[in-house]
Amino acid sequence: MASDPHDPKADLLWEYVDRINAGEPIDEARIRADHPEAADALLVQLKAFTRIGAAGAEGSGEEAPLGVLGDYRLLRPVGRGGMGVVYEARQASLERRVALKVLPAGLLTDSRAIARFVREAKVAAGLQHPNVVPVFGLEVQANTPYFTMEMVDGETLAQRLARLRAGEAGAAEVDARYCFEMALAFAGAAEGLQHAHQKGVIHRDLKPSNLILDRGSDQGGSSHGRLRILDFGLARLEGQESLTLTGDFVGTPAYMSPEQARARKIGIDHRTDVYS
């Protein structure tokens, strides 16, 4: 696909990547029916984006790294969000575990995708709060941009909700203490969000899968730890030019404020995150 950010094919790629990040599967037949001339190139890009997140999902570990990027060994995929796939990795020089977010090969020819990816790293790196997952650095190896973050041991709020709904063994009992501890966790996340807003950052995609619960007891005796904000891939920085075109639909519909759902027909500010 062309890298011209005003190419309608690039706009299609953005639309479908956002749908994938919202949990929608790729419907190859529908894509071919709706966009017959662009379908082949579009499907190559989308399959590259989804395949990188699935590679090595089973049976990978320290003894069987998925690959190497600079100083890092990729151990296993742990998630996908914004415009990249997140891996657990091992940094050789410092002998530490980190999370590595990588821009998939299928998006490397799209200049707007690269710009958004770099902006995400810079925005997140500018936030220093215990309820925001920190970014350590941004690098490029083999023409592949990636950035490193703290590797957080825990589960996303979406995973916690799924376990509770399924009644899995080991899921926390929802009693008064549990509710109190979760309220404390949410208060911390709200403080992290306030920190971002004070820095002029609007997240634009707050949802259960972008909030992760630490393991451990560090919040007034809570067994759940901190609720931390992930994935600034769709973040907007006040005063800077947008990297999405007018009319772009960005975010996850179930958690979007009405003004955000109107696809930029009116301006949005920090209140859209409060709504989410």
Side-chain angles (χ1 to χ4, degrees):
M1 280 198 167
S3 60
D4 180 357
H6 300 289
D7 186 337
K9 293 180 181 179
D11 293 338
L12 280 177
L13 174 63
W14 280 99
E15 176 186 344
Y16 281 103
V17 166
D18 284 337
R19 290 185 184 184
I20 290 170
N21 287 328
E24 183 178 322
I26 296 175
D27 186 338
E28 183 171 341
R30 181 64 182 270
I31 290 174
R32 290 192 179 282
D34 291 346
H35 312 287
E37 295 182 359
D40 287 342
L42 181 62
L43 286 166
V44 167
Q45 299 276 33
L46 294 176
K47 288 177 180 178
F49 180 64
T50 55
R51 185 170 59 247
I52 192 171
E58 297 181 1
S60 60
E62 291 279 350
E63 299 303 319
L66 302 179
V68 176
L69 275 176
D71 196 25
Y72 305 92
R73 289 195 305 157
L74 305 182
L75 301 178
R76 64 186 179 95
V78 293
R80 181 192 297 117
M83 294 303 298
V85 178
V86 181
Y87 292 90
E88 178 182 352
R90 181 78 176 175
Q91 185 175 10
S93 61
L94 297 180
E95 298 183 349
R96 65 175 177 176
R97 292 167 62 240
V98 296
L100 207 70
K101 189 165 187 177
V102 182
L103 186 67
L107 298 178
L108 291 177
T109 58
D110 188 331
S111 60
R112 193 150 52 110
I114 295 172
R116 271 177 66 173
F117 188 82
V118 170
R119 175 172 289 187
E120 176 186 358
K122 290 181 177 180
V123 166
L127 302 177
Q128 298 180 6
H129 191 277
N131 290 88
V132 176
V133 176
V135 166
F136 300 143
L138 173 67
E139 301 178 52
V140 178
Q141 288 285 338
N143 296 319
T144 300
Y146 59 91
F147 60 85
T148 54
M149 303 174 287
E150 178 185 347
M151 181 67 199
V152 179
D153 289 317
E155 63 181 349
T156 66
L157 189 59
Q159 292 168 330
R160 171 65 62 89
L161 288 170
R163 289 201 303 116
L164 289 173
R165 288 168 179 158
E168 288 184 8
E173 180 182 354
V174 180
D175 56 15
R177 176 173 174 79
Y178 178 86
C179 293
F180 176 73
E181 291 180 348
M182 290 303 295
L184 287 178
F186 269 93
E191 291 174 355
L193 186 61
Q194 172 68 9
H195 172 74
H197 291 163
Q198 289 174 336
K199 295 286 188 178
V201 176
I202 306 169
H203 190 285
R204 298 202 299 175
D205 199 23
L206 281 175
K207 56 187 177 182
S209 60
N210 284 340
L211 294 166
I212 188 167
L213 280 159
D214 280 326
R215 301 194 195 281
S217 179
D218 59 359
Q219 197 162 261
S222 169
S223 60
H224 307 295
R226 292 167 294 176
L227 185 60
R228 307 174 74 181
I229 302 172
L230 293 165
D231 196 352
F232 285 81
L234 298 183
R236 176 81 179 273
L237 193 60
E238 291 180 355
Q240 288 197 5
E241 180 183 357
S242 174
L243 293 175
T244 52
L245 301 179
T246 300
D248 277 358
F249 188 83
V250 296
T252 304
Y255 300 96
M256 292 170 69
S257 65
E259 61 268 27
Q260 187 177 357
R262 292 178 65 182
R264 298 179 53 78
K265 292 179 182 177
I266 60 175
I268 63 169
D269 57 26
H270 66 282
R271 291 173 291 184
T272 196
D273 287 341
V274 176
Y275 182 97
S276 297

